[in-house]
Amino acid sequence: MQIYMPTNVYSESGCVMNHRKELASLGKKALVVTGKNSSRANGSLEDVQKAFQEEQVPYVVFDKIEENPSIETVLEAKEVGIKEQVDFVVGVGGGSPMDAAKAIALLIANPIEEEKVLYENRVLPALPVAEIPTTAGTGSEVTPYAILTIHSSKTKKSISHKIYPNLALIDSRYLKTASLNTLIYTAVDALSHVIESYLNTNANSYNRMYSEKGLSLFAQIREELIQCRRLGKEPVLTLSDQVFEKLMQLAAIAGMAITHTGTSIPHGLSYPVTYEMHVPHGKAVGIFLPGFLSHYQGKEEVQFVLEQMGFESLEAFTEYLDELLGTVEISDKLWQEDVKSILENQSKLKNYPYEMKEETLYAFRR
């Protein structure tokens, strides 16, 4: 058994400014990777800019990262980074900018390589990376994974290289401008991580500690989340500072869990649904959790997971998710393509500890 957690993590109010010297120590010039709007609205980008200004570290902002970032956008950022002669990368935002930052750091460090290098099994250097999350879902601030959209294959896929962030600066204040759907869908993504990690070929008594903590954290906030959905108000109007803090903790703990195990069947099934139907990632993953738990052969383990979340039965959990997420109608054609893609995806099948049959996968559809 092994535990490996190389990222230096700080989690507190005012985190970026409090640890600006460590952020600045990563290099001499930074490429700040973010999206167009949210990092400006929640104040995270301003905090990063202030930190660099106080430490007299030059930086350039690349703010073109889209939701589910594409290889094309990452390549564009690479050219900016090379032109500006940056020597470290800072991802600011949700999973999309943070994942993109890792891929960009790899490409800048290997400027003569073409885009195919992203999916080649080679050991290559990457620039130092810092991550500043503003949503509580992917846990990318502590994982080595970077998932990009591949338009030619109409899906999403993690790059082959494992790039751990050097530094993660977590401040739950940034969650307060998140929309209701963003907050809920990202929370369910984090929940999916701990469930898929616990029920995983690579699970052991060490790394399951992360999953168990994550399940416990979800149990502490699940009623607040469902009440927020029922009220239909923006989270900042209904949730306490403690709930925002626990959401950020859940995301990071869940990221630590999948760092050691990887994800499993629900994540694999979600990618075509997100690409073809534009269903947000967390929702697309969440709709497959009931089927995953229902058909998982280790029934005692499933019952433990349910109890740790505070649910007496799978039926109660399913009803909860249906109300929290709503349902998604997947066409027969897309469903058949999705099942086929999973059966061909050895990276997901190997993380499922039992034989996965085609008829079992078809039963995941509700």
Side-chain angles (χ1 to χ4, degrees):
M1 292 186 288
Q2 181 187 24
I3 290 291
Y4 181 60
M5 183 59 229
T7 303
N8 192 13
V9 182
Y10 293 99
S11 180
E12 63 199 48
S13 180
C15 199
V16 173
M17 291 301 292
N18 292 348
H19 301 283
R20 62 186 182 274
K21 291 188 182 301
E22 287 176 68
L23 178 62
S25 71
L26 293 178
K28 296 180 179 179
K29 186 174 184 179
L31 177 66
V32 180
V33 175
T34 190
K36 289 187 178 299
N37 300 311
S38 64
S39 65
R40 289 182 170 86
N42 59 41
S44 56
L45 180 58
E46 182 181 1
D47 284 349
V48 172
Q49 291 172 317
K50 284 182 179 178
F52 284 143
Q53 288 163 7
E54 289 207 14
E55 295 303 314
Q56 297 183 329
V57 174
Y59 65 90
V60 60
V61 176
F62 182 87
D63 62 358
K64 298 181 181 181
I65 303 299
E66 71 273 44
E67 188 174 354
N68 305 307
S70 66
I71 292 175
E72 290 80 4
T73 302
V74 165
L75 290 171
E76 183 180 352
K78 167 195 173 182
E79 296 304 320
V80 172
I82 292 172
K83 178 181 177 182
E84 295 288 340
Q85 296 183 310
V86 304
D87 59 357
F88 71 110
V89 181
V90 182
V92 184
S96 294
M98 290 194 291
D99 282 9
K102 298 171 190 175
I104 294 164
L106 176 78
L107 292 172
I108 295 174
N110 301 277
I112 66 171
E113 299 288 350
E114 299 178 353
E115 66 179 80
K116 64 181 181 180
V117 74
L118 292 167
Y119 293 98
E120 291 180 345
N121 292 316
R122 298 163 57 192
V123 178
L124 293 171
L127 299 185
V129 176
E131 303 282 29
I132 301 169
T134 64
T135 63
T138 68
S140 185
E141 64 270 21
V142 295
T143 74
Y145 310 126
I147 298 173
L148 303 179
T149 296
I150 307 173
H151 289 304
S152 60
S153 302
K154 297 184 178 181
T155 191
K156 297 162 58 179
K157 185 178 179 181
S158 183
I159 67 174
S160 299
H161 307 269
K162 301 295 185 278
I163 303 170
Y164 284 97
N166 299 73
L167 181 65
L169 301 175
I170 303 172
D171 190 334
S172 63
R173 294 177 305 153
Y174 301 145
L175 279 184
K176 293 184 178 182
T177 59
S179 69
L180 175 60
N181 280 341
T182 294
L183 185 134
I184 286 175
Y185 296 156
T186 53
V188 172
D189 186 24
L191 175 64
S192 301
H193 289 163
V194 293
I195 291 175
E196 292 176 54
S197 180
Y198 191 89
L199 304 176
N200 197 294
T201 304
N202 303 306
N204 59 50
S205 59
Y206 281 4
N207 58 50
R208 274 183 167 174
M209 291 188 291
Y210 295 118
S211 299
E212 291 172 17
K213 178 62 176 178
L215 293 168
S216 173
L217 282 167
F218 186 80
Q220 296 171 41
I221 60 176
R222 67 181 181 88
E223 284 303 318
E224 284 85 351
L225 290 179
I226 201 70
Q227 287 300 325
C228 197
R229 170 63 81 197
R230 289 168 180 167
L231 291 171
K233 296 181 179 179
E234 294 309 309
V236 70
L237 300 176
T238 59
L239 300 179
S240 67
D241 289 348
Q242 289 74 23
V243 172
F244 287 120
E245 180 64 28
K246 288 178 180 178
L247 282 164
M248 280 299 208
Q249 289 178 17
L250 169 60
I253 288 288
M256 294 174 192
I258 61 170
T259 289
H260 293 90
T261 63
T263 56
S264 187
I265 304 298
H267 266 72
L269 288 170
S270 75
Y271 296 145
V273 174
T274 292
Y275 186 91
E276 295 288 354
M277 300 179 65
H278 308 291
V279 176
H281 172 65
K283 181 174 182 176
V285 174
I287 62 173
F288 295 114
L289 288 178
F292 178 67
L293 294 177
S294 176
H295 296 283
Y296 191 85
Q297 295 180 38
K299 299 305 179 184
E300 290 185 2
E301 294 172 305
V302 169
Q303 188 58 39
F304 176 83
V305 166
L306 291 167
E307 290 173 357
Q308 290 296 109
M309 290 188 292
F311 294 100
E312 294 183 356
S313 66
L314 178 58
E315 290 73 20
F317 177 58
T318 301
E319 290 175 4
Y320 174 88
L321 279 187
D322 284 348
E323 183 175 0
L324 193 67
L325 300 177
T327 57
V328 177
E329 295 294 329
I330 303 173
S331 69
D332 291 340
K333 179 182 178 182
L334 178 57
W335 187 231
Q336 291 167 4
E337 293 173 351
D338 202 355
V339 168
K340 180 182 178 182
S341 71
I342 280 291
L343 293 174
E344 295 173 350
N345 188 341
Q346 290 302 313
S347 65
K348 288 292 180 282
L349 290 178
K350 70 180 178 61
N351 290 345
Y352 186 76
Y354 306 100
E355 180 184 4
M356 177 53 69
K357 298 180 180 179
E358 184 175 356
E359 56 267 28
T360 303
L361 275 175
Y362 274 113
F364 275 38
R365 186 181 182 188
R366 299 172 52 237

